[in-house]
Amino acid sequence: MPRHEEWIVHVDLTSGKVTRNKVPDQVQSDFIGGSGVGWKLIADILTPGIDAFSPDNYICFNPGVLTGTLTTGAPKTTVITKYPTISSDDGKQYIGESTTGGRFFGAALARAGCHHLLITGAAPSPVYLRIRDQNIELMDAQDLWGQGIEKVTNELVRREGPETGVVCIGTAGENKVRLALAIVDKTNSLGRGGLGAVMGSKNLKAIAVNGTGDVTVARPEEFMAISQQLREKVLQWPGREHWIKLGLAAGWDTFKHTQYPGIWSKDRWEELYGEQKRLEAVEEVIPCNSCMLSCRLKWKIKGGEYDGEVGFGSPFSKSATSGMLLGVEDYRKMIHIVADANSISGVDFYTTTRMIDFVTKMYQEGRLTKEDTGGLELKRDYDTYLQLYKMTVARQGFGEILADGWYRLKKEFGLDPQDYWYGGICKGMDFIYDARPSNFHPLMMSFFTRPRPHHGGSHTRTNSRNKTIQEIYEQVEGWGLPKDILDRIFTEAPYTGKFNVGRYNCYMEDMMEVHNSLGICSIFSQHGLLFGKDMVRLYNAVVGEDISAFELVKRGDRIFNITKVINVREGFSRQDDRPPEVWFRPMDSPEGRIEMHDYYNLHVITREDVEKLLDDYYEERGWDVERGIPTKEKLASLGLQQYVDALPDAER
Amino acid sequence: MEKAIKLCVNASMCRGCGSCQLACSFAKAKVFNPYKSAIRLDYDPESGHTAPAILPLSCNLCGGFPTCVNICPYDALSTEEKPGLNYKILVAV
């Protein structure tokens, strides 16, 4: 069978010109394929220092190497772009990646031969991109502009047929709200941090893709035998029955501890937002393409003001956290906002509701006045929240400021994002977890060491608390890490205990690049169902290579270094990799005082401890520890010497 | 004695993962491609509902052991065996 080949499809929205080129074999091999190659393309083509809303910005969609095949679940597409999040006082913007699943989109891209869909320019009027295999056209979308995501997606599927994958933006994206994201196949979000606004700035309402080509693998029988073994393991997983009944809503028993905002008691929270409430609203649980677990939901509100409202996505965890923060006791009112965010406006519910929490409290405390809000009284009630939400999406009045994110609030009113009381903010984005109730686990650290502060495919065994050393050891051994690395990860130190989160984080991030490049969902890694040693067998069978699991990690390291170096080119350094201030302030809750502890909850983690873990992290990466950036020697060792110019002068 | 295989589709169990199509195209052509499978996915975008629709002329029941039935993780496909004529019956339950 032919080797898995990847193609670059370059679309210029300004001129309408479409070109197609094959990815050189060596590049594909060095960067795994999928988003790894996408990063290389972006590093080479994106003009440094441009604004995210410049027509010269690129959006690169990359289905994974395994996307479109049959495995336990490899539906992922990773998008890389310069995000419009204002990330610092001096207005830096990061280049980041975001991943999505979906029932149709990624597989359709792969079948259409769009392995790296590079979009640049800006259309003179609203368009959608129609892809039918190699027939790629810009279609007039003036009739769709201003319409909600669900309506547009349904319409495009009606026009293009049942296997059509759709990524679509809503009104927030059209209005270039920096909190806007895109929604894939109605069920999956993509691009927290402003992908929706970048698409909006290009007048690109949607992409509708249908592909009839083959997804081929180099060694088919071998691939299918491995796939069957892994699928059998997932079928036997004891947690599967509960998971496929509730999707992502199944995580409440962990979630109620790890994402606890500390305002109500946990019993009260359980009563208002717990699993029973979730079960009331779940209508269907929806998998992504080829997936044996199902995460996404179709829900229906029963009773109350919004009785009968139906929505898609995963509304429960985010609404539970923001519901407590805002003091909204009726969960149905919160998922009503999620319904709008996912199905109509296409806006990041987390950030929008947390900013609303912040400004309404600041108004109560007199740090914002009616003069600041354009005459609007900011009450702590649902009607005000809903009004602020709508104003943000529409960029109306005071919403125009909220639509630009946390740093705009700082610039206009001196409200420091570091004063916010939950989750924490770094590089202009609020984290969905707070390290005080969650403990300082590796994902917490990757939030501020990654260029884009969101998990984006980073799930591993350590997402849940209290995994034993043995369970973590089994996982990293399964990534093929040699003994000297394992010894460093599990060497006890006073600032981290028996498990060095800083050193582990380095390889977790590399594995994230592997997951995303392969298109395989990290939920299987989180549940201990898939290890690097399994992924490399699948990879080898697809591409016809015979590399080791550790070689795959090393390629992940190469990709991660390229993600970092092009952000160094944008001015980012260790100064930006800051843990949020709120983590060092104890949370006084009805459950008692909650302070940030190490992974095993044994001792309080101090600012100095985090600095030591950061030192370990940069050292493990082989970077300049003081400045938190790659060295020229490190880049050369990865064959990335051409990017040395991106380093500050002293590093060349 | 020859046996008849009845391939049953339980549309209410289908979640639209497309595994059946991928397994089918692999069995037929060693590639992954729903358009080369004997199964089309019926999809109602409004409700989000999906159901596998078997193409009777293209389906050969994999010689009596349909791979789509084995692969479906959500029990939307099943077979029943009956003694008698060598033919297949496709029904939606």
Side-chain angles (χ1 to χ4, degrees):
Chain A
M1 292 298 289
R3 185 184 190 281
H4 168 79
E5 279 186 350
E6 295 196 346
W7 290 80
I8 304 159
V9 175
H10 186 286
V11 178
D12 186 333
L13 295 171
T14 307
S15 66
K17 190 177 172 193
V18 178
T19 53
R20 206 164 172 271
N21 299 97
K22 188 177 172 302
V23 177
D25 287 348
Q26 194 58 50
V27 171
Q28 200 179 310
S29 182
D30 287 349
F31 292 88
I32 298 176
S35 56
V37 171
W39 272 108
K40 162 80 174 150
L41 298 174
I42 285 290
D44 293 346
I45 206 167
L46 189 67
T47 307
I50 58 165
D51 186 82
F53 292 149
S54 160
D56 292 336
N57 192 10
Y58 272 85
I59 309 171
C60 185
F61 291 89
N62 309 273
V65 172
L66 300 175
T67 303
T69 67
L70 181 66
T71 64
T72 54
K76 291 271 183 172
T77 299
T78 298
V79 67
I80 304 164
T81 191
K82 187 165 198 182
Y83 284 79
T85 307
I86 302 168
S87 305
S88 60
D89 286 319
D90 59 353
K92 289 197 292 286
Q93 298 171 341
Y94 52 79
I95 302 156
E97 67 184 322
S98 171
T99 69
T100 184
R103 283 194 283 195
F104 307 108
F105 183 64
L109 278 175
R111 290 197 307 272
C114 290
H115 304 102
H116 310 285
L117 177 61
L118 269 171
I119 299 171
T120 191
S125 62
V127 294
Y128 74 91
L129 188 64
R130 187 179 76 182
I131 302 173
R132 292 174 173 171
D133 292 320
Q134 290 173 35
N135 295 316
I136 299 175
E137 283 184 82
L138 298 182
M139 307 295 289
D140 179 47
Q142 290 185 78
D143 59 329
L144 306 176
W145 202 255
Q147 305 287 333
I149 289 168
E150 187 175 337
K151 194 173 171 186
V152 172
T153 304
N154 290 346
E155 174 59 25
L156 292 177
V157 172
R158 267 193 293 272
R159 288 182 196 176
E160 297 299 315
E163 299 279 350
T164 303
V166 177
V167 57
C168 183
I169 63 166
T171 45
E174 295 173 10
N175 294 329
K176 296 197 276 291
V177 172
R178 290 177 199 267
L179 321 178
L181 37 70
I183 298 288
V184 171
D185 297 339
K186 297 207 299 188
T187 50
N188 295 59
S189 60
L190 177 63
R192 193 172 173 238
L195 171 69
V198 177
M199 286 176 68
S201 75
K202 295 183 176 305
N203 265 330
L204 180 62
K205 177 70 177 174
I207 302 170
V209 54
N210 210 327
T212 62
D214 294 339
V215 174
T216 58
V217 299
R219 303 196 291 251
E221 301 296 350
E222 178 186 323
F223 180 85
M224 199 50 129
I226 301 162
S227 175
Q228 290 282 49
Q229 280 173 15
L230 297 171
R231 288 176 68 90
E232 192 57 37
K233 189 175 174 185
V234 175
L235 280 178
Q236 301 303 324
W237 177 49
R240 184 170 181 267
E241 192 179 341
H242 187 233
W243 192 271
I244 67 174
K245 185 177 164 193
L246 273 164
L248 282 181
W252 171 255
D253 279 344
T254 301
F255 172 89
K256 70 180 174 190
H257 302 295
T258 57
Q259 295 200 41
Y260 174 57
I263 296 165
W264 298 330
S265 71
K266 287 182 182 174
D267 285 346
R268 180 79 177 134
W269 204 23
E270 173 87 42
E271 191 186 320
L272 297 172
Y273 281 89
E275 190 165 297
Q276 285 312 308
K277 294 292 181 190
R278 295 175 177 209
L279 278 166
E280 274 177 22
V282 170
E283 287 279 294
E284 289 168 34
V285 190
I286 299 170
C288 295
N289 186 255
S290 80
C291 185
M292 308 177 70
L293 300 178
S294 301
C295 290
R296 320 314 298 182
L297 299 166
K298 178 182 176 185
W299 78 84
K300 186 175 186 179
I301 295 175
K302 297 185 178 78
E305 200 177 335
Y306 303 109
D307 182 43
E309 191 170 85
V310 173
F312 292 88
S314 61
F316 294 112
S317 298
K318 52 178 75 107
S319 60
T321 310
S322 290
M324 190 192 294
L325 287 165
L326 294 169
V328 176
E329 296 189 340
D330 186 343
Y331 77 96
R332 295 169 299 193
K333 288 184 167 181
M334 291 310 290
I335 64 173
H336 166 68
I337 301 178
V338 179
D340 185 280
N342 284 6
S343 300
I344 299 173
S345 306
V347 72
D348 175 4
F349 174 90
Y350 287 109
T351 305
T352 311
T353 51
R354 288 177 189 187
M355 288 182 73
I356 289 170
D357 182 32
F358 191 40
V359 297
T360 48
K361 273 263 178 67
M362 291 297 95
Y363 188 91
Q364 301 287 303
E365 291 180 12
R367 290 180 63 188
L368 272 177
T369 65
K370 238 180 188 176
E371 199 177 305
D372 296 328
T373 63
L376 192 67
E377 187 181 351
L378 301 190
K379 294 181 189 165
R380 291 283 294 176
D381 64 25
Y382 183 73
D383 289 344
T384 304
Y385 304 149
L386 202 52
Q387 188 180 3
L388 284 171
Y389 169 84
K390 288 177 178 170
M391 289 169 74
T392 304
V393 166
R395 275 192 177 274
Q396 279 175 352
F398 184 60
E400 205 278 322
I401 292 168
L402 295 176
D404 274 343
W406 296 97
Y407 270 97
R408 178 83 190 274
L409 276 179
K410 186 177 182 186
K411 187 178 170 191
E412 297 289 338
F413 309 117
L415 297 176
D416 190 338
Q418 297 306 326
D419 289 345
Y420 187 57
W421 38 85
Y422 181 75
I425 294 156
C426 176
K427 295 171 194 155
M429 188 185 277
D430 46 292
F431 302 161
I432 61 171
Y433 304 84
D434 187 311
R436 292 168 297 173
S438 292
N439 293 343
F440 191 77
H441 65 68
L443 200 54
M444 295 296 152
M445 190 163 184
S446 79
F447 282 158
F448 59 86
T449 53
R450 290 190 66 196
R452 172 177 173 266
H454 188 71
H455 55 74
S458 301
H459 299 298
T460 68
R461 289 300 270 160
T462 59
N463 270 41
S464 310
R465 298 199 297 184
N466 303 324
K467 291 291 174 212
T468 63
I469 289 283
Q470 193 181 339
E471 283 173 297
I472 302 170
Y473 195 97
E474 183 191 13
Q475 178 189 242
V476 289
E477 208 175 23
W479 294 347
L481 303 187
K483 188 166 180 311
D484 60 320
I485 295 177
L486 298 180
D487 288 346
R488 290 199 295 274
I489 292 173
F490 297 106
T491 295
E492 191 163 357
Y495 52 91
T496 187
K498 288 179 183 170
F499 172 42
N500 190 312
V501 166
R503 295 193 189 276
Y504 175 93
N505 179 34
C506 168
Y507 300 99
M508 184 181 82
E509 289 174 339
D510 295 345
M511 281 306 296
M512 176 196 68
E513 299 303 343
V514 172
H515 276 103
N516 292 350
S517 297
L518 296 182
I520 205 152
C521 183
S522 59
I523 204 80
F524 298 100
S525 298
Q526 181 178 341
H527 294 315
L529 297 168
L530 200 67
F531 297 105
K533 63 186 178 188
D534 304 313
M535 288 182 242
V536 79
R537 290 168 71 207
L538 290 168
Y539 178 72
N540 283 336
V542 170
V543 301
E545 290 192 43
D546 285 295
I547 64 168
S548 66
F550 187 48
E551 174 58 28
L552 203 54
V553 175
K554 286 197 276 190
R555 292 180 190 184
D557 184 34
R558 179 179 293 122
I559 299 164
F560 194 83
N561 271 268
I562 214 168
T563 75
K564 189 71 182 187
V565 79
I566 64 170
N567 278 287
V568 171
R569 194 165 69 184
E570 299 294 326
F572 288 90
S573 69
R574 181 166 178 160
Q575 285 185 330
D576 300 285
D577 293 353
R578 307 303 310 159
E581 290 298 315
V582 69
W583 290 0
F584 304 107
R585 297 195 290 263
M587 177 190 279
D588 284 315
S589 80
E591 306 286 335
R593 172 163 278 207
I594 302 172
E595 293 181 271
M596 180 167 69
H597 282 69
D598 69 304
Y599 181 75
Y600 288 111
N601 208 33
L602 295 174
H603 77 274
V604 172
I605 294 270
T606 65
R607 203 180 299 272
E608 292 71 34
D609 293 336
V610 174
E611 291 303 324
K612 285 176 186 161
L613 285 164
L614 268 171
D615 288 348
D616 285 352
Y617 167 80
Y618 295 126
E619 183 187 276
E620 194 68 36
R621 285 220 164 274
W623 290 358
D624 177 330
V625 171
E626 197 180 323
R627 298 202 286 177
I629 61 176
T631 61
K632 61 183 178 184
E633 292 79 17
K634 174 70 183 189
L635 293 180
S637 75
L638 295 167
L640 301 176
Q641 49 271 41
Q642 73 183 94
Y643 303 104
V644 166
D645 286 351
L647 301 175
D649 289 342
E651 278 297 331
R652 290 184 203 168
Chain B
M1 185 171 64
E2 288 188 336
K3 61 185 180 184
I5 304 286
K6 179 170 152 184
L7 179 54
C8 305
V9 177
N10 187 341
S12 66
M13 299 295 280
C14 176
R15 296 187 179 196
C17 70
S19 297
C20 54
Q21 297 174 296
L22 298 173
C24 181
S25 69
F26 188 86
K28 283 177 173 294
K30 298 283 181 278
V31 297
F32 298 106
N33 186 347
Y35 293 98
K36 286 190 177 169
S37 78
I39 305 168
R40 294 291 174 267
L41 198 66
D42 196 5
Y43 175 45
D44 172 33
E46 297 279 350
S47 65
H49 290 153
T50 55
I54 315 288
L55 305 180
L57 296 179
S58 303
C59 174
N60 62 7
L61 289 167
C62 298
F65 302 96
T67 186
C68 57
V69 174
N70 288 334
I71 217 76
C72 175
Y74 301 108
D75 300 326
L77 292 161
S78 59
T79 52
E80 287 177 18
E81 287 186 13
K82 289 186 175 180
L85 300 173
N86 185 15
Y87 65 91
K88 63 197 172 197
I89 306 168
L90 312 169
V91 290
V93 177

